[in-house]
Amino acid sequence: MQYPEIHHFHIPVMGIAFTIDSPIKVAKYGISSVISIVEDKLIEMMREYYYPQIKQPYIPISKQEPNYRANRITDYLNLVNSIVQTQIEKIKKASFEKGSEIVKYFELLPDDSMLKKLYLQSVGTTDLNEKIKIEELLRNQVTPGSIDVNIMTKIDRDLYKNGEIVQDESEALEALKGYANSNLKNSSVIFSAGMNPRLYNYLANLREFEINKDGTFNKKVIVKVSDYRSALIQGKYLAKKGVWVSEFRIESGINCGGHAFVKDGVLLGPILEEFKINKRTLVATLFEYYNVALLEKNKNALNRPPIIKFSVQGGIGEYQETQLLRDYFNIDSTGWGTPFLLVPEATTVDSKTLELLCNAKQENIFLSNHSPLGVKFHYLKNSSSDIEKKERIMSGKFGSPCTEKHLALNTEFTKEPICTASKKYQKLKLEQLKTLQLDEQVYQQKVNEVLEKECLCIGLSNSASLNYNVDFVKPLNAVTICPGPNIVNFSKQATLKQMVDHIYGRTNLIKNSNRVHMFIAELYLYIDYWKDLLEQDFKNNLLSKNTKNHIAFFSNLKKGIRFYESLKTNINKNVSRFAKELACAEVEIDYLNYKYAIIQS
């Protein structure tokens, strides 16, 4: 059965632990959320926690068992699904009285929802028979939000046995197997961080993702992308394999939480405009390839393409912004990640980290090089993990114990990959640096680059361990948190109702009256990023070598400003301020171009 999406937003994956059980918290209200299935040890820990909660025995799935990783994922997803279905049945039987779960379900809905209007009609009527009739109709319309999963395609470490690579058992493949074998329906797997041919080729052989006779899918594919070109390339690749992408989830390259896949100054607005203009072409192109693939698999061709939805996330903070995204860019859903870190009813954040998030200032959030993936990573200073790392460096105990190995991808010194945040790698790298006879300043810079890498497998998992008092990795309990820059606009813990009301414009949780529009915030983040690149290249005498890249950055920023100038009449709030900030941004861009002589006049 395909459930309609009754909310205009979703909760994206955050970290590893922060949304690990979000569906158990919010799916019963029709809200969709995303579980990270990269860390099977954390998933096993959650199994250990939740089975007793529903008064069922917890039976461990040992690492010694065949396919233990996929089996852990399958069982946990089945467990989550079972809990959510039980919650839905209870809600359907609840009384329509103040404070009940079924009342909360309908009160959370957007005001333009037909179900919300029907609910308000039942509240307002004095005709008892009509009220009973409407309430019965409403009960039958209670459906859960989707239980989605995320696989970060770059985290696809080969699995080894007796020093040899095991075929068809990489980490991403095992995660996909675990999801495919689950009993989830009306669910999606979200692929993020770019294309992984091995993973996509394996996906093409899984029947769970095939289209049903009625044109629906039990398990759908969502691809997270940063621009139209990526959507076209990945969509075509999958369509040729007979896999339909049911949604493209567009994310800002820089104004987001977690890993930031920074573009060369290409702004979100122009990216969304390109999608808006080319949607039909994209769908038609993918449909042509998909039908050919169906025929090659001896299946019937389709008369019309299955639905493709388009969503966007990254820095959204106000109702007026969602209205612009929906009304002008024709976006189907918006992703609200970072603000939900302050909602314990929706996410899993330990109390100390929650307090740190509430007090976050702009100077506390920065785009770091802390990730062992070598990708820029948003980071909140003074987290327990940040403090622990600094203490290790001060005591001369460099690096982290590498117990999980999900980011063990470096083969600079070893045949079997190791993690750049690990003790083993950092010891070897620091020893190498000592032999290179580098200038002292350069040497210290290289040392700092090695030591800043941080264990994310444990750091991004520990919130759940602390929240539920279940051991993850003894005695390591430090937490890494990676909110987007948007966190500085929110200052206090919120209830689920307060946050949903904020999203739909029924209340305002923004603490910062000077908060700039999401498009302006992203523009200035890119300017700061480009400025840092210019300063580094100037310092290292690399400006001439990288001139082509800097010209592209400059050109893309200028094009973005021109587009936003044409868009400003559609901005629903503070239009004059929006225009002024664009002008100020352009002055700064032109100054940087003049200062570093990027484009010779």
Side-chain angles (χ1 to χ4, degrees):
M1 180 179 182
Q2 289 277 282
Y3 299 130
E5 291 183 6
I6 62 172
H7 281 282
H8 302 326
F9 73 93
H10 60 270
I11 302 176
V13 68
M14 285 184 279
I16 301 176
F18 307 124
T19 55
I20 190 68
D21 57 346
S22 288
I24 293 175
K25 300 179 178 185
V26 303
K28 60 186 176 182
Y29 302 119
I31 299 170
S32 300
S33 59
V34 187
I35 297 172
S36 169
I37 54 173
V38 65
E39 175 52 84
D40 63 280
K41 188 171 185 176
L42 174 64
I43 285 171
E44 182 67 9
M45 188 196 87
M46 298 305 292
R47 293 181 64 249
E48 182 180 357
Y49 174 76
Y50 270 108
Y51 270 112
Q53 299 297 310
I54 60 171
K55 296 180 171 52
Q56 289 189 23
Y58 158 66
I59 302 172
I61 298 176
S62 166
K63 280 191 172 184
Q64 276 64 53
E65 296 182 27
N67 304 116
Y68 75 89
R69 189 165 191 264
N71 292 341
R72 286 175 171 181
I73 293 166
T74 298
D75 189 81
Y76 180 62
L77 295 177
N78 290 346
L79 172 61
V80 172
N81 192 29
S82 175
I83 292 172
V84 170
Q85 294 302 326
T86 300
Q87 292 170 338
I88 289 294
E89 291 307 309
K90 286 182 179 178
I91 287 178
K92 285 183 175 182
K93 295 174 183 176
S95 300
F96 277 89
E97 55 188 28
K98 187 175 181 180
S100 73
E101 287 285 82
I102 197 164
V103 165
K104 184 174 180 179
Y105 181 97
F106 288 105
E107 286 185 343
L108 287 176
L109 296 179
D111 295 339
D112 61 0
S113 162
M114 291 304 296
L115 285 178
K116 179 68 169 284
K117 292 173 181 177
L118 192 60
Y119 165 72
L120 293 176
Q121 182 182 331
S122 74
V123 171
T125 185
T126 56
D127 185 324
L128 183 59
N129 289 330
E130 184 184 4
K131 183 184 286 287
I132 292 172
K133 184 178 179 181
I134 295 175
E135 287 179 353
E136 188 60 28
L137 178 60
L138 290 171
R139 289 182 197 280
N140 292 329
Q141 296 301 314
V142 172
T143 54
S146 62
I147 303 168
D148 298 330
V149 304
N150 185 83
I151 296 176
M152 191 172 180
T153 58
K154 287 186 180 298
I155 303 177
D156 191 20
R157 183 176 65 97
D158 288 317
L159 300 180
Y160 288 77
K161 187 174 183 179
N162 300 323
E164 298 297 326
I165 295 175
V166 182
Q167 296 300 316
D168 294 330
E169 287 191 18
S170 73
E171 292 207 331
L173 292 186
E174 288 296 290
L176 182 57
K177 289 178 193 176
Y179 172 69
N181 292 334
S182 74
N183 59 19
L184 289 175
K185 292 186 177 181
N186 189 48
S187 172
S188 300
V189 59
I190 296 121
F191 295 115
S192 61
M195 190 165 75
N196 180 334
R198 173 167 67 176
L199 183 63
Y200 286 1
N201 293 343
Y202 188 84
L203 171 69
N205 296 315
L206 297 175
R207 296 187 62 183
E208 291 81 0
F209 295 91
E210 293 180 0
I211 193 166
N212 298 320
K213 290 182 179 179
D214 62 358
T216 64
F217 296 88
N218 293 332
K219 288 183 170 68
K220 294 174 284 188
V221 172
I222 296 175
V223 178
K224 189 187 290 186
V225 295
S226 55
D227 58 23
Y228 179 81
R229 180 175 178 273
S230 177
L232 182 60
I233 291 172
Q234 295 191 69
K236 282 172 64 174
Y237 189 96
L238 288 167
K240 288 177 180 179
K241 301 285 182 182
V243 177
W244 187 254
V245 177
S246 294
E247 179 181 331
F248 288 105
R249 192 156 285 184
I250 308 154
E251 184 173 58
S252 167
I254 198 168
N255 194 15
C256 56
H259 287 93
F261 295 89
V262 180
K263 305 295 293 179
D264 290 338
V266 183
L267 303 178
L268 184 60
I271 290 170
L272 294 177
E273 181 73 2
E274 188 173 9
F275 273 98
K276 177 183 175 180
I277 294 170
N278 294 300
K279 273 183 185 179
R280 290 185 179 180
T281 302
L282 177 62
V283 174
T285 301
L286 300 189
F287 183 52
E288 183 179 350
Y289 286 114
Y290 185 64
N291 255 345
V292 170
L294 290 179
L295 292 172
E296 289 174 349
K297 291 184 175 185
N298 296 317
K299 298 182 183 298
N300 294 328
L302 304 177
N303 294 323
R304 60 176 182 270
I307 293 171
I308 296 182
K309 293 186 176 180
F310 296 86
S311 61
V312 64
Q313 58 198 44
I316 306 168
E318 294 188 80
Y319 172 70
Q320 289 83 0
E321 293 170 354
T322 64
Q323 287 301 98
L324 173 67
L325 294 169
R326 293 184 67 218
D327 296 342
Y328 179 81
F329 293 105
N330 302 322
I331 290 297
D332 297 297
S333 177
T334 54
W336 287 68
T338 292
F340 271 105
L341 290 172
L342 302 181
V343 184
E345 289 179 75
T347 55
T348 300
V349 183
D350 62 283
S351 57
K352 288 185 178 178
T353 306
L354 185 58
E355 182 180 358
L356 198 64
L357 288 166
C358 289
N359 295 322
K361 304 290 188 295
Q362 193 165 353
E363 60 269 20
N364 302 134
I365 305 287
F366 71 105
L367 203 54
S368 75
N369 293 308
H370 291 356
S371 172
L373 282 178
V375 178
K376 291 290 184 179
F377 183 70
H378 281 290
Y379 194 79
L380 177 62
K381 293 179 182 178
N382 300 320
S383 66
S384 54
S385 188
D386 187 26
I387 293 169
E388 180 184 78
K389 181 176 66 177
K390 289 173 180 175
E391 288 175 348
R392 280 180 181 162
I393 293 172
M394 290 294 290
S395 64
K397 298 177 181 178
F398 309 132
S400 303
C402 191
T403 63
E404 305 309 292
K405 303 185 186 303
H406 299 301
L407 302 183
L409 304 170
N410 184 282
T411 55
E412 185 178 355
F413 301 108
T414 57
K415 178 182 176 182
E416 187 170 330
I418 57 178
C419 178
T420 56
S422 68
K423 290 180 178 181
K424 185 174 184 178
Y425 174 84
Q426 293 194 4
K427 181 175 183 292
L428 292 168
K429 189 65 178 178
L430 292 175
E431 287 174 352
Q432 181 199 59
L433 290 176
K434 288 178 182 177
T435 68
L436 299 180
Q437 299 180 333
L438 299 170
D439 174 82
E440 181 59 31
Q441 187 175 353
V442 174
Y443 170 75
Q444 196 55 54
Q445 179 185 337
K446 296 290 185 183
V447 168
N448 291 340
E449 289 172 359
V450 173
L451 299 182
E452 68 183 343
K453 300 302 180 188
E454 188 168 308
C455 174
L456 301 185
C457 299
I458 296 175
L460 292 176
S461 297
N462 269 335
S463 256
S465 175
L466 294 171
N467 256 24
Y468 300 130
N469 196 28
V470 182
D471 287 331
F472 181 55
V473 178
K474 289 183 179 180
L476 306 174
N477 56 15
V479 174
T480 301
I481 189 80
C482 50
N486 198 23
I487 191 65
V488 303
N489 297 302
F490 297 85
S491 63
K492 59 183 179 180
Q493 185 174 313
T495 65
L496 179 62
K497 185 178 187 308
Q498 287 171 332
M499 187 56 71
V500 173
D501 284 349
H502 173 78
I503 291 170
Y504 291 139
R506 299 189 289 242
T507 191
N508 183 18
L509 297 181
I510 296 290
K511 72 168 181 183
N512 184 3
S513 59
N514 291 319
R515 179 188 181 273
V516 299
H517 193 279
M518 59 178 287
F519 288 156
I520 298 295
E522 186 201 45
L523 171 59
Y524 276 97
L525 285 168
Y526 267 120
I527 292 172
D528 289 343
Y529 181 82
W530 185 44
K531 183 179 180 181
D532 287 342
L533 287 181
L534 289 166
E535 289 176 351
Q536 290 172 26
D537 282 356
F538 177 76
K539 181 179 177 181
N540 297 316
N541 295 316
L542 294 173
L543 274 179
S544 57
K545 180 181 178 181
N546 295 326
T547 295
K548 185 177 179 180
N549 294 336
H550 290 306
I551 290 175
F553 221 111
F554 173 79
S555 176
N556 288 329
L557 289 174
K558 296 282 276 191
K559 287 178 183 176
I561 289 175
R562 295 286 85 78
F563 172 75
Y564 287 145
E565 285 177 341
S566 69
L567 181 72
K568 63 189 177 186
T569 55
N570 294 280
I571 300 298
N572 299 319
K573 185 179 178 182
N574 295 330
V575 179
S576 60
R577 181 185 174 190
F578 187 86
K580 183 178 180 181
E581 285 157 345
L582 285 178
C584 290
E586 184 157 31
V587 168
E588 186 166 358
I589 292 165
D590 287 337
Y591 171 72
L592 290 171
N593 176 50
Y594 169 77
K595 179 179 179 180
Y596 294 101
I598 301 304
I599 298 178
Q600 303 290 337
S601 57

